[in-house]
Amino acid sequence: MRVTEIFYSIQGESSHVGRPCVFVRLTGCNLRCRWCDSVYTFTGGEKVAIDDVIKRVKAYGCNLVEITGGEPLAQAEAFPLIARLLDDGFEVLIETSGSIDITPVDRRAKLILDIKCPGSGEVAKNRWENLDDLRPHDELKFVIADRADYEWARDLIAERRLDRELELKPLAEWMLADRVPARLQTQLHKHIRGADVHGV
Ligand code: SF4
């Protein structure tokens, strides 16, 4: 696979912000966002075997890894890399533009889906079906260039109910199917007293 860089730093985005993290930045991107700050990832890079990527990640002694780019899912080898890191016990984050089908991703990984607003010039590349395949641990990201982007994102969140609380039944089914070592919990006090009651 082609790798632009592997480095160890502090996570600067998402709900994982502030956590030490190993970053694997893969080469290449199928988009050309107007404000892209990663143009250097479009070409070049170093050809590295998956085994060697994993060895280099392990050398940092950090359990959190982010696979990023460029567009990391544009390389077919990204999928086995993600699965193998998960098998080795790593917590894996994937920063993706959401323009590529996420269904082949090992879903133990946590996706940070970067929805492209109109200001990026790439709004037509959003693969909307991806929104239907998100898991509770996944996150959405919007880069807002201007007021128009803000209003577009606000309306999308409302229309698609992207801020909705997950239904418990599908969540329970996903957990059972994946045999995740986790506990399903809901806000019991809200079920008893109602969502708008305070002081409970
Ligand atoms: S998806 Fe990311 S790497 Fe690709 S052009 Fe857009 S900002 Fe740059």
Side-chain angles (χ1 to χ4, degrees):
M1 60 195 320
R2 293 212 77 84
V3 178
T4 295
E5 54 188 352
I6 298 175
F7 60 99
Y8 180 51
S9 187
I10 296 290
Q11 177 59 253
E13 296 186 352
S14 79
S15 68
H16 304 276
V17 69
R19 297 179 63 191
C21 182
V22 180
F23 293 83
V24 178
R25 192 182 295 286
L26 301 185
T27 308
C29 186
N30 53 323
L31 303 189
R32 290 293 179 268
C33 301
R34 280 192 194 114
W35 34 252
C36 181
D37 62 357
S38 306
V39 172
Y40 67 99
T41 67
F42 291 171
T43 55
E46 178 193 356
K47 201 161 187 297
V48 189
I50 292 181
D51 282 344
D52 293 328
V53 173
I54 293 171
K55 253 186 232 160
R56 282 162 68 172
V57 168
K58 283 184 175 170
Y60 289 105
C62 171
N63 192 53
L64 181 66
V65 185
E66 176 170 302
I67 313 297
T68 186
E71 169 48 64
L73 302 183
Q75 294 193 46
E77 287 146 303
F79 300 99
L81 171 66
I82 291 162
R84 286 190 51 191
L85 286 167
L86 288 161
D87 288 345
D88 283 351
F90 285 96
E91 181 180 355
V92 180
L93 311 178
I94 304 167
E95 169 106 16
T96 173
S97 68
S99 61
I100 290 177
D101 184 6
I102 61 170
T103 52
V105 174
D106 188 315
R107 301 317 311 277
R108 292 172 291 170
K110 297 171 181 170
L111 286 159
I112 298 155
L113 199 76
D114 183 2
I115 295 183
K116 296 301 175 190
C117 297
S120 70
E122 292 287 29
V123 68
K125 302 277 177 54
N126 286 309
R127 186 180 183 278
W128 298 115
E129 298 91 324
N130 283 340
L131 295 180
D132 300 325
D133 197 42
L134 293 174
R135 304 295 167 96
H137 60 208
D138 296 331
E139 300 183 19
L140 296 175
K141 168 180 163 181
F142 296 84
V143 176
I144 306 291
D146 52 25
R147 172 87 196 179
D149 273 0
Y150 161 72
E151 291 180 2
W152 181 89
R154 179 198 63 197
D155 294 347
L156 181 75
I157 290 166
E159 275 162 28
R160 303 284 305 230
R161 299 188 55 221
L162 297 177
D163 59 339
R164 69 190 183 277
E165 277 189 53
L166 274 167
E167 296 286 340
L168 286 179
K169 189 165 175 284
L171 175 56
E173 285 165 1
W174 297 334
M175 288 176 68
L176 292 172
D178 290 343
R179 290 173 169 71
V180 291
R183 186 188 304 257
L184 175 63
Q185 192 173 25
T186 183
Q187 291 180 301
L188 188 60
H189 54 287
K190 291 189 181 173
H191 287 280
I192 296 169
R193 297 290 193 90
D196 300 327
V197 177
H198 293 195
V200 292

